[in-house]
């Protein structure tokens, strides 16, 4: 990847105040804005305070956007369709998966169990006429002589924060227009054009709806598999809201244990 000179970028980037007294007014505004727009987590559960199971806390965010080279951002966005195709083809290449994953042995318990599930469903002849992939590709900016985006991981199972990340962009635009980051911004500048649109929420909701239509059963529902004690509920609820309000598709939230105890697979390989 072609990069931008690190020294040049650092000389132009915005610099923010580290004075907690100057930051406090922004923190108070941010917390209230988050509460008003669903940028929230559930509070950590404790054994002694059951009321905390319904308590909400603001999601951790930055008060202002973090600068990265535009060229790096544009590049990774343009690469995403190619990466989606690559991982889809890998998932369909049985010989490659076997040769790669069998060598793990028991060193990675989670991956080993997922691989065994894959082998079992393949042996049983489970049919998947269509597959919808929800992917999240993570990057860090490597600061060598040049700044370059380096891929950290590619998420295919738990691609979370699609909804909240889109809301964070709205928050940064609000803060810029509302405060111009006065007293917070010590050098450089931020413009609205530097905060790109984020369509991850709408694209994921509409993508699931497209898969629902291909499934061809209007009375079906979308099952969202969640973990017990999930704190990142509202990131998921935004997708559920999009599916219902835009496409009139119902969503059920179930853990793996609840699927095991409450559901069965019929003769057509459909979950009931």
């Amino acid at each position: 990847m072609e990069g931008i000179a690190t020294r040049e970028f650092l000389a132009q980037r915005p610099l923010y105040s580290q004075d907690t007294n100057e930051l406090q007014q922004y923190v108070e505004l941010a917390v209230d804005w988050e509460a008003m727009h669903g940028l929230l987590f559930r509070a950590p559960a404790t054994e002694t305070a059951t009321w905390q199971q319904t308590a909400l806390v603001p999601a951790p965010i930055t008060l202002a956007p973090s600068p990265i080279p535009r060229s790096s951002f544009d590049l990774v966005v343009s690469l995403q369709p190619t990466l989606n195709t690559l991982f889809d083809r890998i998932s369909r290449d049985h010989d490659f998966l076997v040769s790669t994953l069998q060598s793990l042995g028991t060193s990675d318990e989670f991956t080993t169990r997922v691989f065994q599930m894959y082998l079992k469903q393949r042996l049983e002849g489970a049919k998947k006429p269509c597959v919808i992939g929800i992917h999240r590709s993570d990057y860090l900016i490597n600061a060598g002589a040049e700044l370059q985006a380096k891929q950290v991981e590619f998420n295919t199972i738990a691609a979370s924060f699609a909804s909240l990340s889109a809301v964070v962009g709205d928050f940064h635009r609000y803060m810029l227009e509302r405060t111009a980051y006065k007293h917070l911004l010590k050098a450089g500048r931020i413009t609205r054009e530097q905060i790109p649109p984020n369509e991850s929420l709408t694209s994921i909701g509409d993508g699931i709806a497209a898969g629902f239509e291909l499934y061809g059963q209007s009375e079906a529902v979308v099952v969202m598999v969640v973990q017990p004690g999930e704190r990142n509920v509202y990131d998921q609820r935004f997708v559920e809201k999009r599916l219902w309000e835009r496409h009139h598709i119902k969503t059920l939230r179930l853990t793996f244990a609840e699927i095991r105890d409450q559901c069965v697979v019929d003769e057509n390989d459909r979950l009931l």
Side-chain angles (χ1 to χ4, degrees), residues 42-69:
R42 284 188 176 167
T46 64
E47 296 181 358
T48 56
T50 56
W51 62 268
Q52 287 188 343
Q53 296 176 7
T54 56
L56 309 178
V57 295
I61 60 172
T62 61
L63 293 175
S66 302
I68 62 172

Side-chain angles (χ1 to χ4, degrees), residues 91-105 110-128:
S91 72
R92 300 170 190 271
D93 191 334
H94 175 70
D95 292 339
F96 174 80
L97 291 175
V98 170
S99 65
T100 303
L101 297 179
Q102 273 189 339
S103 63
L104 288 175
F110 175 79
T111 302
T112 299
R113 293 179 66 182
V114 171
F115 181 55
Q116 292 303 319
M117 291 168 60
Y118 160 76
L119 292 177
K120 183 178 180 180
Q121 63 87 31
R122 181 179 173 84
L123 185 64
E124 294 175 350
K127 297 178 180 179
K128 297 179 181 178

Side-chain angles (χ1 to χ4, degrees), residues 3 7 24 41 44 67 76 105 108-109 166 175 183 191 211 245 251:
R7 182 172 297 181
Q24 188 57 39
F41 283 172
V76 299
D108 185 326
E109 181 181 357
M175 290 289 283
H183 303 306
T191 66
E245 293 184 349
T251 304

Side-chain angles (χ1 to χ4, degrees), residues 22-30 175 179 181-182 184:
E22 294 180 332
L23 293 176
Q24 188 57 39
Q25 60 177 315
Y26 292 97
V27 171
E28 293 175 359
L29 185 59
M175 290 289 283
T179 70
Y181 289 117
K182 185 178 180 182
L184 178 63

Side-chain angles (χ1 to χ4, degrees), residues 130 132 205-223 243 247-250:
C130 63
I132 300 297
D206 295 346
I208 294 174
F212 185 92
E213 184 176 352
L214 289 172
Y215 188 65
Q217 299 292 324
S218 59
E219 73 280 5
V221 299
V222 170
V223 173
L243 284 170
H247 305 283
H248 216 63
I249 296 173
K250 294 180 180 179

